[in-house]
Amino acid sequence: MSVPTIKDNLEAVRASLEKAAERAGRKASEVSLMAVSKTKPLELVREAYDAGQRLFGENRVAEAVEKFSLLPGDAEVHLIGHLQKNKIKTAVPVFHCIESLDSIELARKLAAACEKQERMVEVLLQLKTADEGGKTGFAAEEEILEAAGWVREQKFLRIRGLMTIAPFTSDESAVRGAFARCKTLQEKLMSLYRDVDFSTLSMGMSSDYEWAVQEGSTLIRVGTAIFGGRF
Ligand SMILES: *Cc1c(COP(=O)(O)O)cnc(C)c1O
């Protein structure tokens, strides 16, 4: 048997996304598929692009600039890792969306950089639903409500919804519980700020996207199942 290509992997992920959506009584078209290309060389990203993939995720600013400046303009890249303050200026022109907005302080600096460059950036507020070290995000619900209230006033930032990373465990109820918390918070934000678009729920990775779809995800971030393992 030959090794599956990236095109094969994309097709397999799309097929299982279809099935997961069907089981959840949802349409697969409600869920966007992001190909997480962090650590992967440009050739592989291009292979995914040539297979029709347009939405990508990266967790390092410099790496994203390097790769995505060489891809056609309709390839959209989102930042899914913590944004360091000294990288904000460079991040603004390359990312369509910062999914990992995790503090008001970062939101303020990002808004200032966007205004200076006169460039609109979409953001997701990252909710911390796992206690594991290194996972960033707003831990307290009040903080995220406050951040949403502030961000919605900003001319160059546009809120699109929430992002979360579930705990690294195969315990279905723990993982689904984390996704459900994010969904509940989305509903709360929607009823509090009726003028803001909170429709995006970025939840689910290679190991847990089927559960995320069950819990209402509208954007799954899949790396390993498309590009293979990272070493
Ligand atoms: C790396 C990463 C992913 C993709 O993880 P896989 O397990 O390879 O699918 C998704 N989301 C975030 C935030 C990541 O850092």
Side-chain angles (χ1 to χ4, degrees), residues 29-73:
S29 59
E30 295 168 20
V31 187
S32 306
L33 171 61
M34 169 196 287
V36 176
S37 48
K38 66 187 184 196
T39 79
K40 299 296 176 184
L42 177 65
E43 301 87 77
L44 297 190
V45 186
R46 211 186 283 278
E47 213 176 308
Y49 179 90
D50 289 341
Q53 181 65 30
R54 291 295 178 270
L55 175 60
F56 295 88
E58 290 281 342
N59 65 344
R60 288 178 195 279
V61 176
E63 188 183 336
V65 171
E66 203 179 303
K67 290 189 271 186
F68 285 84
S69 59
L70 298 170
L71 283 161

Side-chain angles (χ1 to χ4, degrees), residues 34 36 38 58-59 79-81 99-100 126 163-165 168 202 204-209 220-226 228-230:
M34 169 196 287
V36 176
K38 66 187 184 196
E58 290 281 342
N59 65 344
L79 182 69
I80 58 172
E99 296 203 4
S100 43
Q126 183 178 352
M163 186 272 255
T164 201
I165 304 171
F168 287 125
S202 174
M205 322 194 345
S206 292
S207 58
D208 57 19
Y209 70 83
I220 59 173
R221 309 178 307 266
V222 180
T224 307
I226 296 171
R230 291 175 296 270

Side-chain angles (χ1 to χ4, degrees), residues 3-156:
V3 182
T5 62
I6 283 172
K7 184 163 184 278
D8 295 333
N9 291 343
L10 276 166
E11 279 166 11
V13 170
R14 289 216 169 272
S16 81
L17 171 59
E18 290 272 348
K19 284 205 195 94
E22 197 175 314
R23 275 197 303 277
R26 304 179 60 203
K27 293 196 198 88
S29 59
E30 295 168 20
V31 187
S32 306
L33 171 61
M34 169 196 287
V36 176
S37 48
K38 66 187 184 196
T39 79
K40 299 296 176 184
L42 177 65
E43 301 87 77
L44 297 190
V45 186
R46 211 186 283 278
E47 213 176 308
Y49 179 90
D50 289 341
Q53 181 65 30
R54 291 295 178 270
L55 175 60
F56 295 88
E58 290 281 342
N59 65 344
R60 288 178 195 279
V61 176
E63 188 183 336
V65 171
E66 203 179 303
K67 290 189 271 186
F68 285 84
S69 59
L70 298 170
L71 283 161
D74 65 341
E76 179 178 325
V77 60
H78 291 191
L79 182 69
I80 58 172
H82 176 67
L83 178 55
Q84 288 171 303
K85 313 259 169 354
N86 62 350
K87 303 279 166 59
I88 294 175
K89 213 165 66 180
T90 328
V92 167
V94 69
F95 294 105
H96 187 92
C97 179
I98 309 284
E99 296 203 4
S100 43
L101 192 69
D102 56 9
S103 73
I104 295 211
E105 195 201 349
L106 176 59
R108 286 187 201 284
K109 297 205 158 119
L110 181 62
C114 287
E115 188 165 354
K116 206 163 171 188
Q117 300 184 35
E118 293 191 337
R119 190 171 166 108
M120 171 86 76
V121 168
E122 296 187 351
V123 297
L124 302 182
L125 304 176
Q126 183 178 352
L127 175 67
K128 183 172 171 155
T129 50
D131 280 331
E132 289 137 35
K135 278 190 188 151
T136 51
F138 291 95
E141 199 178 299
E142 311 84 70
E143 272 176 5
I144 234 174
L145 297 180
E146 191 191 337
W150 189 82
V151 173
R152 80 196 243 270
E153 307 286 338
Q154 306 309 308
K155 197 167 146 207
F156 291 96

